[in-house]
């Protein structure tokens, strides 16, 4: 029987639109026990989304808090707000917000390339800060993409290219040419999986996640979902294609299994709410199916390097993280 009052808080980044909105909607519609925080960079859009979610689901425990993942100050302010906030214990984080930039290099307020800064570094800092507030059993989902895998149709045309974190954060300082926009995106999505697997390893290695008190961490690919705002920064022709039914049919014809926001948003919510997944961690899900991620995504040295470099880039302080070890045991 659903709870009458909210008992656990879930944070959905980018929950104001697209897949994040439908994830929040699915959680709200299925379980009154969730207090849902829509973490969004735009409070006007977020407030409208909260109103729509309440209207659509009659779930009252939904609110918006401001979070701009392109600003480390904003991420730290968000975590401080959550810590002071009168809400039920934090039990889940859905790292869904994401951006894809087709054109030239742009930078976050901290001087990081925007795709990597928002999709990976902002979430990396957010997770570390929120882990200090989380109560077990807890679940964390990092939203990746099939584009991370060059052995699939999704990833074949613009595969990721991972040298190291500094190359992605500050390409002009790295001595290597920057990646084109679409490959910056697929590479950032590979980083989401490195991060999920490395986080899982560290939580277990340092005893923060146990069978009795689990913090599960999984990566999620919603499949190709045309029509969302993901290509908002692309040229007009690409945006029109993204919206068109002809494009969907063409993708279907070449064998890409097209999904939709409701189906993939619900599957995202399932990773947080399905009792059958209570102890499942360190896995990759494509919509409803658990499957293998790319070969490269299991490279523990790259994952550890990404983690350590990210901690340096965001200037993570010892009192901001629950982790003791500086280098992953996995690298030994
Ligand atoms: N659609 C697909 O085909 C597809 C496929 C694979 C994976 N994904 C992944 O699914 C996730 C959701 O994408 P979507 O398709 O639903 O796209 P979307 O409609 O554009 O939603 C992206 C969300 O991220 C938010 N966001 C962007 N930059 C942000 C920032 N600096 N700080 C905070 N929030 C920020 C956006 O906020 P605003 O509304 O303010 O812009 C929006 O709420 C992304 O991680 C994406 O990589 C999507």
């Amino acid at each position: 029987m659903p709870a009458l009052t909210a008992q656990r808080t879930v944070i959905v980044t980018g929950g104001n639109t697209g897949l994040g909105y439908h994830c929040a909607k699915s959680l709200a519609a299925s379980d009154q026990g969730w207090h849902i925080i829509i973490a969004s960079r735009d409070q006007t859009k977020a407030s409208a989304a909260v109103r729509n979610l309440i209207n659509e689901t009659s779930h009252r425990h939904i609110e918006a808090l401001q979070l701009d993942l392109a600003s480390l100050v904003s991420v730290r302010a968000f975590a401080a707000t959550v810590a002071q906030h009168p809400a039920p214990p934090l039990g889940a984080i859905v790292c869904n917000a994401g951006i894809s930039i087709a054109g030239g290099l742009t930078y976050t307020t901290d001087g990081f390339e925007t795709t990597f800064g928002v999709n990976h570094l902002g979430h990396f800092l957010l997770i570390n800060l929120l882990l200090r507030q989380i109560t077990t059993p807890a679940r964390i989902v990092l939203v990746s993409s099939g584009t991370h895998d060059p052995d699939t149709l999704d990833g074949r045309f613009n595969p990721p290219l991972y040298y190291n974190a500094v190359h992605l954060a500050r390409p002009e300082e790295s001595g290597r040419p920057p990646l084109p926009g679409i490959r910056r995106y697929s590479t950032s999505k590979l980083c989401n999986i490195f991060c999920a697997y490395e986080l899982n390893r560290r939580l277990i290695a340092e005893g923060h996640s146990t069978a009795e008190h689990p913090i599960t961490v999984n990566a999620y690919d919603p499949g190709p979902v045309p029509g969302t705002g993901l290509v908002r920064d692309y040229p007009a022709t690409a945006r029109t294609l993204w919206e068109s039914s002809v494009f969907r049919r063409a993708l279907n014809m070449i064998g890409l299994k097209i999904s939709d926001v409701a189906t993939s948003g619900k599957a995202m919510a399932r990773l947080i709410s399905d009792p059958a997944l209570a102890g499942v961690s360190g896995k990759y899900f494509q919509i409803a199916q658990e499957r293998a991620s790319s070969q490269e995504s299991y490279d523990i040295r790259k994952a550890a390097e990404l983690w350590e470099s990210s901690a340096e880039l965001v200037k993570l302080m010892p009192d901001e993280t629950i982790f003791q070890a500086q280098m992953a045991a996995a690298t030994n």
Side-chain angles (χ1 to χ4, degrees):
M1 189 175 155
L4 295 175
T5 54
Q7 296 158 337
R8 308 277 285 160
T9 293
V10 54
I11 293 170
V12 184
T13 70
N16 60 285
T17 190
L19 290 157
Y21 180 91
H22 283 268
C23 171
K25 184 176 166 183
S26 177
L27 288 170
S30 60
D31 189 347
Q32 287 291 320
W34 286 116
H35 179 85
I36 301 169
I37 294 179
I38 302 294
S40 169
R41 60 180 164 174
D42 183 324
Q43 280 306 85
T44 308
K45 283 192 210 168
S47 300
V50 168
R51 280 196 300 278
N52 290 339
L53 284 167
I54 292 172
N55 284 339
E56 289 188 297
T57 64
S58 302
H59 186 97
R60 289 177 297 114
H61 306 287
I62 311 175
E63 63 173 329
L65 290 181
Q66 213 269 335
L67 169 68
D68 182 356
L69 289 158
S71 159
L72 299 181
V73 168
S74 173
V75 176
R76 286 188 164 93
F78 175 83
T81 302
V82 172
Q84 303 293 323
H85 205 55
L90 179 59
I93 311 166
V94 183
C95 297
N96 158 79
I99 195 160
S100 181
I101 298 165
L105 294 172
T106 64
Y107 297 91
T108 67
T109 53
D110 305 286
F112 306 130
E113 189 284 315
T114 306
T115 321
F116 182 70
V118 170
N119 295 2
H120 168 67
L121 284 176
H123 280 127
F124 171 84
L125 178 60
L126 182 72
I127 290 169
N128 271 281
L129 298 175
L130 292 180
L131 274 173
R132 296 167 67 240
Q133 305 176 34
I134 218 159
T135 56
T136 60
R139 301 192 194 186
I140 299 172
V141 173
L142 285 90
V143 177
S144 176
S145 161
T147 60
H148 88 278
D149 188 349
D151 292 329
T152 66
L153 261 180
D154 308 42
R156 184 169 303 164
F157 302 110
N158 294 288
L161 187 56
Y162 188 87
Y163 293 118
N164 55 50
V166 170
H167 171 241
L168 297 174
R170 300 199 179 102
E172 70 294 343
E173 289 175 18
S174 71
R176 294 180 191 272
L179 300 177
I182 301 182
R183 294 189 78 182
R184 295 201 295 275
Y185 174 75
S186 59
T187 308
S188 77
K189 294 285 128 180
L190 172 63
C191 291
N192 292 144
I193 304 179
F194 281 150
C195 188
Y197 293 170
E198 181 68 15
L199 174 58
N200 179 56
R201 282 190 284 270
R202 284 177 180 245
L203 285 168
I204 293 168
E206 295 197 13
H208 300 297
S209 179
T210 62
E212 296 75 34
H213 302 285
I215 304 175
T216 65
V217 190
N218 291 298
Y220 176 67
D221 167 28
V225 186
T228 69
L230 194 60
V231 301
R232 70 194 70 193
D233 294 318
Y234 283 45
T237 40
R239 292 201 308 272
T240 308
L241 256 186
W242 185 242
E243 303 284 343
S244 84
S245 54
V246 178
F247 181 59
R248 281 167 214 227
R249 280 201 294 278
L251 291 179
N252 269 322
M253 276 168 64
I254 62 166
L256 268 177
K257 290 199 183 85
I258 301 303
S259 188
D260 58 81
V261 279
T263 304
S264 290
K266 191 174 174 185
M268 195 189 291
R270 174 184 163 247
L271 297 185
I272 291 299
S273 61
D274 188 346
L277 299 177
V280 176
S281 194
K283 305 292 183 193
Y284 176 73
F285 289 81
Q286 187 176 57
I287 315 181
Q289 298 294 318
E290 185 194 324
R291 48 154 290 181
S293 49
S294 71
Q295 270 192 318
E296 186 179 17
S297 69
Y298 295 102
D299 187 323
I300 54 178
R301 288 184 182 279
K302 285 182 180 171
E305 179 276 322
L306 174 68
W307 186 280
E308 292 300 321
S309 298
S310 300
E312 282 178 29
L313 287 163
V314 304
K315 298 186 170 54
L316 191 67
M317 303 305 288
D319 64 354
E320 290 183 322
T321 176
I322 62 171
F323 295 111
Q324 301 295 318
Q326 281 305 295
M327 288 307 293
T331 58
N332 295 327

